[in-house]
Amino acid sequence: MKIDPNSSADLSAQIAQAIKDAIISGELIVDERLPSETELSDHFQVSRPTVREALKRLAAQSLIRTQRGASGGAFVNRLSFEDAYAQQVTTSTLLLSMNEVSFDTACEARYALERACAPLSALRRSPDHLATMRAEIFRQGQPGLTDEAFCASDVAFHRALVDGAGNPVLSYQLAGAVEAMQPLMNMITFTARDRERIVELHGQIADAIEQRNSQAADLALSELTAYTLELGTKAMAARASRHQNRSNVENPK
Amino acid sequence: MKIDPNSSADLSAQIAQAIKDAIISGELIVDERLPSETELSDHFQVSRPTVREALKRLAAQSLIRTQRGASGGAFVNRLSFEDAYAQQVTTSTLLLSMNEVSFDTACEARYALERACAPLSALRRSPDHLATMRAEIFRQGQPGLTDEAFCASDVAFHRALVDGAGNPVLSYQLAGAVEAMQPLMNMITFTARDRERIVELHGQIADAIEQRNSQAADLALSELTAYTLELGTKAMAARASRHQNRSNVENPK
DNA sequence: AAAAATTCATTTGTCTGACATTTAAAAGTC
DNA sequence: GACTTTTAAATGTCAGACAAATGAATTTTT
């Protein structure tokens, strides 16, 4: 583990990178204890605060965890699916919100990926997954549900569908795509008829998954894609015209 | 932006979370300058090193960037697709390497996602994407190519396929799945016949994409999936028996 | 007056040294 | 032997200082 004394980058960034490289290369293995902060500052010839900044960078990425007290220190963290999942959701959400990704683009990506899971889910779903899907469909049909709650249930339904594929890597990859869509979906106001149609399609998907009929699942998902796209387009248009009106009121000609 | 004085968590973690929340909620917008470190330490009633540790955590996630000098400071960063892409690859790679994800699982996830892109790519690919694919296929056919170089070219080929869908969100999501597989793929030793078969299938994919024939593309991809899976299984088995032999030598009975 | 050089204030980057807090192990006590 | 106390090691936090970079204001030069 060495740093380049001629680099212009921050020392803490260099040190963080050096340790990160050591972890990726396998030089440091899971649960191994890093040298203490004092030892690291000796090794890299920097002060302890600088080492600490480097360690905080790694902690922010869940690459290490720290423990106080005797026999404490920084330990290489096993990146769990949960941690990776959380990071993936945060990154995707920010990416979508900061880059003015269109509803269409995000929606297309989400459903394309989801349709990739459907055949596997039809093959391997457990009764548990099916039960979750049915429960969420039931919830979505309840009157008096807020739009936020409806969207949350929608996410839960689709998570169950994805998890049904029984592939944790796939579930993790999809987490970002599905959850990051939620803020965009929350912009939509669902009418009773919209919800009815969505619940109907969800029902078709659940039926298809239950019968292990991947073709039917794909068909229903493709209809759901089209319908969601339609709703989104309408919502975005309404939103745009509202903004238009407001700025007209603010700046009357 | 407030922190809970009764929380047991590190102050720097709390402060980082508070600022992160402010960014996600839109309270702090892109390119906005955060208060200076001194102002933040006044605001949160902590010392400057603590604030700095918090800022480094955010910098590690590309949420902020810092600039020295007068009119410098920490600025909310627009999370670019490149940044998100890089994070995604790192996370996926570590996840796969640290969690003993089986070759099968990773492979299945990767190809499932990739097949989701193929129809869109067939629809929208530009001549550029096609040219890249052809170029990589040509490279893969060259004799004397190392296994690493072959894998790298394989990744480049598949990236072109994915990018052909013209959906940046999809490209970003797939980046992790495809690139994180590379270390696993590098464990495989490709025979000349293996390569020949892969190049042939790549050719079929490129042909299908060129002719905007999504069905043919899907077929070729599904064959490639099966073939890769077969190679992987063989490689893993060989690896396991090597390990077996080695431990027998080390611990003869 | 315009351009170049200089100064200056501000901000992040880094260092030194210290103290607080937590924690597990060692030492002591019954 | 079981329990309590002490101790040492490690991270968490703080205060104050200086270095380095940088943009803006100021001065000097042309």
Side-chain angles (χ1 to χ4, degrees), chain B residues 19 34 37 40 51-60 64 74:
Chain B
I19 298 176
L34 268 65
E37 293 176 354
L40 285 172
V51 166
R52 281 183 60 79
E53 287 179 10
L55 294 180
K56 294 312 159 203
R57 293 179 115 109
L58 299 175
I64 61 169

Side-chain angles (χ1 to χ4, degrees), chain A residues 10 12 20 23-24 30 49 52-54 56-61 63 66 68 76-81 83-85 87-88 90-101 104-106 108-110 112-117 120 124 165-170 172-174 176-178 180, chain B residues 10 12 20 23-24 30 49 52-54 56-61 63 66 68 76-81 83-85 87-88 90-101 104-106 108-110 112-117 120 124 165-170 172-174 176-178 180:
Chain A
D10 289 0
S12 69
K20 191 171 177 176
I23 294 176
I24 292 176
V30 168
R52 281 183 60 80
E53 287 179 11
K56 295 311 159 200
R57 295 178 113 111
L58 300 175
Q61 298 171 280
L63 263 73
T66 55
R68 285 170 77 164
V76 177
N77 206 13
R78 156 161 278 125
L79 186 62
S80 68
F81 279 95
D83 286 341
Y85 178 100
Q87 282 183 236
Q88 165 81 332
T90 307
T91 305
S92 298
T93 305
L94 281 168
L95 189 66
L96 259 55
S97 71
M98 284 181 168
N99 288 278
E100 297 168 5
V101 171
D104 289 9
T105 305
E108 174 178 283
R110 177 197 156 159
L113 297 178
E114 213 167 310
R115 285 170 72 177
C117 296
L120 292 168
R124 296 206 282 254
N167 184 320
V169 177
L170 214 44
Y172 145 74
Q173 296 280 2
L174 265 285
V178 174
Chain B
D10 289 1
S12 68
K20 191 170 175 176
I23 294 176
I24 291 175
V30 168
R52 281 183 60 79
E53 287 179 10
K56 294 312 159 203
R57 293 179 115 109
L58 299 175
Q61 296 172 280
L63 264 72
T66 53
R68 286 170 76 163
V76 178
N77 207 15
R78 156 162 278 125
L79 187 61
S80 67
F81 277 95
D83 286 340
Y85 177 100
Q87 283 183 235
Q88 163 82 332
T90 307
T91 305
S92 299
T93 305
L94 281 169
L95 189 66
L96 259 55
S97 71
M98 284 182 169
N99 287 278
E100 296 168 5
V101 171
D104 290 9
T105 304
E108 175 180 280
R110 175 195 158 165
L113 297 177
E114 213 167 311
R115 283 169 74 176
C117 296
L120 292 168
R124 298 208 280 256
N167 185 320
V169 177
L170 214 44
Y172 145 72
Q173 297 278 3
L174 264 285
V178 174

Side-chain angles (χ1 to χ4, degrees), chain B residues 92-203:
Chain B
S92 299
T93 305
L94 281 169
L95 189 66
L96 259 55
S97 71
M98 284 182 169
N99 287 278
E100 296 168 5
V101 171
S102 74
F103 185 88
D104 290 9
T105 304
C107 195
E108 175 180 280
R110 175 195 158 165
Y111 281 108
L113 297 177
E114 213 167 311
R115 283 169 74 176
C117 296
L120 292 168
S121 198
L123 205 68
R124 298 208 280 256
R125 93 289 183 287
S126 75
D128 255 13
H129 298 126
L130 214 50
T132 304
M133 290 169 75
R134 297 288 187 198
E136 295 300 337
I137 293 175
F138 175 76
R139 180 171 304 157
Q140 288 156 23
Q142 296 292 96
L145 206 64
T146 64
D147 277 342
E148 277 75 19
F150 184 77
C151 283
S153 171
D154 183 70
V155 168
F157 172 84
H158 288 281
R159 273 218 63 183
L161 172 62
V162 170
D163 288 342
N167 185 320
V169 177
L170 214 44
S171 295
Y172 145 72
Q173 297 278 3
L174 264 285
V178 174
E179 294 222 6
M181 277 289 293
Q182 209 171 357
L184 290 176
M185 296 289 280
N186 274 331
M187 293 179 182
I188 300 176
T189 321
F190 296 98
T191 66
R193 241 187 92 226
D194 295 338
R195 293 195 188 183
E196 201 181 313
R197 175 68 177 142
I198 290 172
V199 167
E200 182 192 347
L201 286 168
H202 281 177

